[in-house]
Amino acid sequence: MDPHPLREEYLARINRVIDFIESHLEENLPLIRLAEVAHFSPYHFHRIFRAMTGEPLNRFIQRLRIEKAARQLADNPKKSVTVVALDCGFSGSAPFARTFKEFFGVSASEWRRQIRYKSKIGIIHSNSGQSESKLQKDSGASSVYIKGVTFNLNRRPDMKSKTNLNVKLTDFPETPVAYVRHIGPYKGDDNLFRGLFHQLMTWAGPRNLLKFPGTQILIVYHDNPEITDDQKLRTSVCITVPAETKTEGAVGSMTIPAGRYACARFELLPHEYQQAWDSVCGEWLPDSGYQPDDRPCFELCLNNPDEHPEHKHIVDICIPVKPM
């Protein structure tokens, strides 16, 4: 028996609320509504949420809205700032403008202008006081964030040439998944992902949910690693499951929405993932006639790296797209 069943139940309820918030950001999200999703009283829910996530509920909602807005500003250059604000759950352009500048230190229009002209973006993290994006500190390069991926503008990705990229357009159906979620840093941490998958597979195996090759394995990235503080990054390792599957404790359930994805196949070592994402977003996407759509990016995991002669991961990097 799990030594902490009550804690796992709390985690399951908080994850359920986080999933609900993420899929309803454009709506009004009062405390009482979210407390009902969590099956806690409103009086206790706010304190429990903060204690388990390290972030007050209202601040969490505000951060997800403003990060979604930043993505839309980058992905949809013809979409007005006011429409972006309303789509992301803000009551109007004035409160959106105040919040955006608080988070990023520049106006939404200036953010968009800097991305368009490929100048360096000075991102101010409201909770850390940093004045440069993490990628700029690491590389000195300008960067653009596109739906879960940041790629450098000042150098060509060298994972593969444009002509060698194996990208296919795939229409995915609505896909229910079971997941185990990690909140915190993850980049290049192969042991972290091994542990998460072990936890998920240990739960799924006795329930007869591992039916390969039909069962698919995914990694979903919920947050922008160049905007969101490392300690707040959310990552979900998932397996596809029947729609009626019941989950519990640390294992939650969500649905990957249907739609068209650009899927690029790679064989990678753990430190090569960023470079692979760069090559798809920086090489293929700008010439494709497509733009990113507002659905989650994910990776389809296609092998067991321990069985590969070079211990490489065979993955499909999947980016949601729509016509320009």
Side-chain angles (χ1 to χ4, degrees):
M1 180 179 292
D2 189 290
H4 304 292
L6 292 178
R7 181 174 179 82
E8 288 217 346
E9 174 60 23
Y10 272 55
L11 178 62
R13 295 189 189 191
I14 295 301
N15 275 335
R16 192 157 58 236
V17 171
I18 289 173
D19 292 338
F20 183 86
I21 291 170
E22 191 167 33
S23 60
H24 295 81
L25 280 175
E26 73 285 358
E27 301 176 16
N28 187 29
L29 296 170
L31 173 63
I32 191 168
R33 184 182 183 190
L34 298 178
E36 289 174 353
V37 174
H39 297 295
F40 286 121
S41 71
Y43 177 80
H44 293 291
F45 169 62
H46 188 277
R47 294 179 179 179
I48 293 169
F49 186 92
R50 179 170 185 161
M52 296 197 70
T53 66
E55 194 169 12
L57 177 63
N58 288 340
R59 184 68 171 179
F60 178 83
I61 295 171
Q62 186 180 63
R63 176 171 64 81
L64 262 60
R65 284 175 169 159
I66 209 69
E67 290 175 0
K68 179 180 179 181
R71 293 196 297 268
Q72 289 199 7
L73 289 167
D75 295 347
N76 302 281
K78 295 183 179 180
K79 195 171 186 178
S80 75
V81 173
T82 299
V83 172
V84 169
L86 296 175
D87 282 353
C88 296
F90 289 88
S91 58
S93 55
F96 171 70
R98 289 193 300 269
T99 305
F100 196 95
K101 191 163 187 178
E102 176 192 353
F103 269 75
F104 300 123
V106 295
S107 69
S109 297
E110 179 66 8
W111 166 276
R112 172 175 275 170
R113 187 190 70 79
Q114 290 176 344
I115 288 176
R116 181 177 179 183
Y117 290 101
K118 302 183 181 181
S119 61
K120 291 186 179 181
I121 302 171
I123 298 174
I124 297 179
H125 295 271
S126 59
N127 59 351
S128 67
Q130 295 173 336
S131 60
E132 293 182 298
S133 75
K134 287 177 280 185
L135 184 60
Q136 287 165 7
K137 287 182 177 179
D138 292 340
S139 68
S142 177
S143 64
V144 171
Y145 174 73
I146 295 184
K147 193 60 184 174
V149 185
T150 301
F151 62 93
N152 294 339
L153 294 169
N154 295 340
R155 63 179 178 84
R156 287 173 59 88
D158 54 6
M159 173 62 63
K160 293 191 175 191
S161 72
K162 187 186 308 183
T163 54
N164 290 335
L165 276 175
N166 179 19
V167 181
K168 296 181 179 180
L169 293 172
T170 303
D171 292 316
F172 278 89
E174 186 174 85
T175 304
V177 298
Y179 67 81
V180 172
R181 180 166 295 156
H182 169 73
I183 299 178
Y186 59 79
K187 187 176 180 180
D189 192 341
D190 194 37
N191 289 332
L192 168 68
F193 286 100
R194 286 175 179 271
L196 294 171
F197 278 119
H198 176 75
Q199 183 180 2
L200 183 58
M201 299 306 175
T202 299
W203 172 86
R207 291 164 174 79
N208 198 30
L209 294 173
L210 301 178
K211 299 180 179 180
F212 301 111
T215 301
Q216 293 180 303
I217 301 173
L218 305 85
I219 303 175
V220 178
Y221 301 100
H222 301 273
D223 297 304
N224 174 358
E226 307 310 320
I227 295 176
T228 304
D229 183 86
D230 283 352
Q231 301 303 320
K232 297 182 175 68
L233 292 172
R234 294 168 298 140
T235 312
S236 298
V237 297
C238 316
I239 58 168
T240 55
V241 294
E244 68 277 6
T245 301
K246 302 296 183 183
T247 57
E248 59 188 1
V251 181
S253 60
M254 63 182 178
T255 300
I256 308 298
R260 175 159 290 191
Y261 285 79
C263 299
R265 183 158 298 181
F266 294 91
E267 294 189 25
L268 304 168
L269 293 171
H271 68 276
E272 295 177 325
Y273 274 82
Q274 181 66 58
Q275 201 174 20
W277 280 99
D278 287 351
S279 65
V280 181
C281 293
E283 293 293 313
W284 181 83
L285 191 60
D287 294 334
S288 67
Y290 288 89
Q291 60 184 319
D293 198 5
D294 194 20
R295 287 173 279 122
C297 288
F298 58 84
E299 294 164 356
L300 274 176
C301 305
L302 303 174
N303 77 318
N304 180 349
D306 292 334
E307 298 175 357
H308 190 283
E310 299 177 61
H311 299 287
K312 289 189 173 183
H313 303 228
I314 303 175
V315 298
D316 280 352
I317 289 175
C318 300
I319 300 174
V321 294
K322 61 184 178 181
M324 290 286 290

